Amino acid sequence: EDQVTQSPEALRLQEGESSSLNCSYTVSGLRGLFWYRQDPGKGPEFLFTLYSAGEEKEKERLKATLTKKESFLHITAPKPEDSATYLCAVQAKSNYQLIWGAGTKLIIKP
Amino acid sequence: EPEVTQTPSHQVTQMGQEVILRCVPISNHLYFYWYRQILGQKVEFLVSFYNNEISEKSEIFDDQFSVERPDGSNFTLKIRSTKLEDSAMYFCASSETWTGSETQYFGPGTRLLVL
């Protein structure tokens, strides 16, 4: 069964304190792995798509990496506005639906 | 920047009533989706739609649910007889191509509360 597990469930950091969020997945043939940001009461906002192991993508303070079993979202010198829930989702080659993790709630304290 | 829009933002209904949730996908996108997120739970796939027909649907998407593209811009989700457990945020998404590997862009959601 295709599955996505994110850790930790919640992460509190001081402003400027770098860290990483983990997304472990099992899928029968990966078509793509997606990272989204979700603010309370809002829809998921697209951040990155990764397609193959070894791939890396960066956007401002965020960097996403992918291996055959997991993905990391690295956040460097975060600011309070980076506070949100970060969602990971995978898409299997057999279909087009996204299978989601439960998310990591990130809180950045000034 | 093009975006997916959804109406209404909030909907309160009585159990057993029909509701229609509306979405306007990004204009040049061809693949459309509905997801839902029950409060405090994971986002769940409901259905995908391409070329005026359902491409995939989950076990959640039973006979009480239907989707339609009534014109060139709107995409709707109908729940025929709502149940208490249908209370959730419903998100519409669209992607550019039919290959399915393109990024799905999400709307702001409709919060449905069934009383």
Side-chain angles (χ1 to χ4, degrees):
Chain A
E1 182 184 346
D2 300 335
Q3 201 167 5
V4 178
T5 303
Q6 291 188 246
S7 62
E9 289 184 13
L11 182 62
R12 293 175 182 270
L13 300 173
Q14 288 294 136
E15 183 173 1
E17 181 184 0
S18 302
S19 188
S20 295
L21 314 182
N22 178 263
C23 171
S24 297
Y25 65 92
T26 54
V27 65
S28 51
L30 181 70
R31 185 191 298 274
L33 184 141
F34 303 82
W35 282 98
Y36 289 84
R37 168 189 171 132
Q38 187 176 32
D39 293 303
K42 303 286 182 63
E45 177 188 342
F46 169 71
L47 293 173
F48 302 108
T49 307
L50 302 166
Y51 294 106
S52 57
E55 191 174 359
E56 299 183 353
K57 289 194 177 172
E58 286 187 69
K59 179 181 178 181
E60 297 180 353
R61 295 177 293 281
L62 299 176
K63 179 180 177 179
T65 62
L66 181 65
T67 72
K68 289 185 178 180
K69 294 182 178 180
E70 58 190 350
S71 176
F72 291 94
L73 185 66
H74 307 277
I75 183 162
T76 302
K79 298 181 179 181
E81 53 261 42
D82 295 322
S83 297
T85 295
Y86 289 84
L87 300 173
C88 172
V90 298
Q91 190 179 52
K93 287 183 178 177
S94 57
N95 54 54
Y96 300 134
Q97 61 181 274
L98 293 179
I99 300 162
W100 297 81
T104 293
K105 184 173 182 179
L106 179 65
I107 298 170
I108 308 299
K109 296 179 285 185
Chain B
E1 184 177 329
E3 58 182 19
V4 177
T5 59
Q6 291 185 242
T7 55
S9 57
H10 295 78
Q11 174 102 38
V12 181
T13 190
Q14 295 293 322
M15 189 170 56
Q17 295 296 304
E18 174 184 288
V19 295
I20 298 176
L21 310 183
R22 291 181 168 80
C23 168
V24 178
I26 295 173
S27 62
N28 64 333
H29 285 190
L30 300 177
Y31 227 91
F32 314 121
Y33 312 81
W34 284 102
Y35 292 82
R36 78 173 187 189
Q37 186 175 31
I38 295 171
L39 188 63
Q41 297 187 21
K42 293 183 180 183
V43 178
E44 300 173 290
F45 169 77
L46 294 178
V47 66
S48 62
F49 190 87
Y50 170 72
N51 200 25
N52 286 318
E53 61 182 25
I54 290 174
S55 301
E56 301 171 69
K57 60 182 181 179
S58 70
E59 293 178 354
I60 303 168
F61 194 87
D62 60 23
D63 292 343
Q64 293 299 312
F65 291 88
S66 63
V67 289
E68 191 179 27
R69 187 153 165 85
D71 53 44
S73 59
N74 290 283
F75 180 51
T76 62
L77 174 69
K78 181 191 291 186
I79 309 175
R80 289 189 182 82
S81 179
T82 50
K83 306 171 187 174
L84 296 177
E85 54 264 37
D86 293 328
S87 295
M89 279 287 280
Y90 287 81
F91 295 110
C92 173
S94 68
S95 61
E96 187 170 2
T97 71
W98 62 269
T99 63
S101 61
E102 294 293 329
T103 298
Q104 296 178 26
Y105 293 91
F106 285 76
T110 293
R111 184 176 297 281
L112 176 65
L113 179 60
V114 182
L115 301 176

